[in-house]
Amino acid sequence: MQVKDYIRTIPDFPHEGIMFRDVTTLFLDPRGFRMAIDQLLHPYAGQRFDKVAGLEARGFILGGAIAHQLSVGFVPIRKKGKLPGKTVQQDYKLEYGEATMELHDDSLEAGEKVLLVDDLLATGGTAEAGIKLIEKLGAEVIGCAFVIDLPELGGRGKLEALGQDVHALCAFEGA
């Protein structure tokens, strides 16, 4: 089986016309989950990382497993108001409006190398906010790894235009 085979599609969630790609079925299967973690790391074999940053919320699951595998620290990038300490913030655009992501201001040091991880790349807005937060602290994003890419939404192009290396395990057509 391939990683894509473990992902369930739920039509019309969270609203009509959306085909929700549910990675919880991937996480449920130990072989599928292990395969995803190994494949997310594969293009970065031999590179040095200081930290793995995961985007809320499924990026925490993937990022935590990857950080464990690499024996490096994990940095959560959260929605505004969820982190208890002093933070740096980055606004980003949603389909209808804006939102804000945050990162503890002491979670990264200047010069550290960071792998950014999430389950899904759609428009790239959340990942772009994560990249900007990491860079605000003087760290360097050396790659962006996703389980799923939705190519029609243009996120890969947005991140590559920022000079980022983008790796996705599979792609689904449509939104």
Side-chain angles (χ1 to χ4, degrees):
M1 289 182 69
Q2 298 178 19
V3 168
K4 190 173 187 176
D5 299 326
Y6 291 94
I7 298 167
R8 159 173 64 184
T9 299
I10 301 173
D12 299 322
F13 183 83
H15 53 78
E16 191 173 332
I18 299 293
M19 299 296 282
F20 186 82
R21 309 306 177 174
D22 181 17
V23 294
T24 62
T25 49
L26 171 67
F27 297 162
L28 281 170
D29 188 283
R31 278 176 279 190
F33 188 47
R34 176 59 148 192
M35 180 190 319
I37 298 304
D38 290 346
Q39 289 179 11
L40 285 168
L41 282 169
H42 185 266
Y44 307 104
Q47 292 188 37
R48 185 183 64 82
F49 297 93
D50 298 297
K51 304 267 174 55
V52 174
L55 295 164
E56 188 168 334
R58 290 171 296 276
F60 295 173
I61 297 165
L62 295 161
I66 291 169
H68 173 78
Q69 184 80 3
L70 296 172
S71 297
V72 299
F74 174 76
V75 178
I77 299 176
R78 303 221 49 196
K79 295 174 184 167
K80 185 177 180 175
K82 301 289 186 178
L83 293 171
K86 188 175 176 192
T87 63
V88 291
Q89 299 181 353
Q90 181 65 49
D91 295 331
Y92 66 103
K93 293 188 185 312
L94 297 167
E95 188 176 355
Y96 301 104
E98 287 193 357
T100 303
M101 298 297 282
E102 294 183 322
L103 180 62
H104 275 133
D105 70 352
D106 61 355
S107 59
L108 295 168
E109 295 181 21
E112 285 189 308
K113 309 273 189 219
V114 180
L115 176 64
L116 182 68
V117 179
D118 203 1
D119 68 319
L120 178 80
L121 176 60
T123 66
T126 307
E128 181 182 17
I131 291 164
K132 289 180 177 179
L133 284 167
I134 291 164
E135 291 174 346
K136 279 183 182 182
L137 296 180
E140 176 187 357
V141 177
I142 53 84
C144 301
F146 304 91
V147 173
I148 301 167
D149 183 13
L150 301 179
E152 292 175 29
L153 298 180
R156 176 184 289 271
K158 179 183 280 186
L159 300 183
E160 288 175 344
L162 294 172
Q164 295 301 320
D165 174 63
V166 178
H167 174 61
L169 302 185
C170 62
F172 286 93
E173 297 304 316

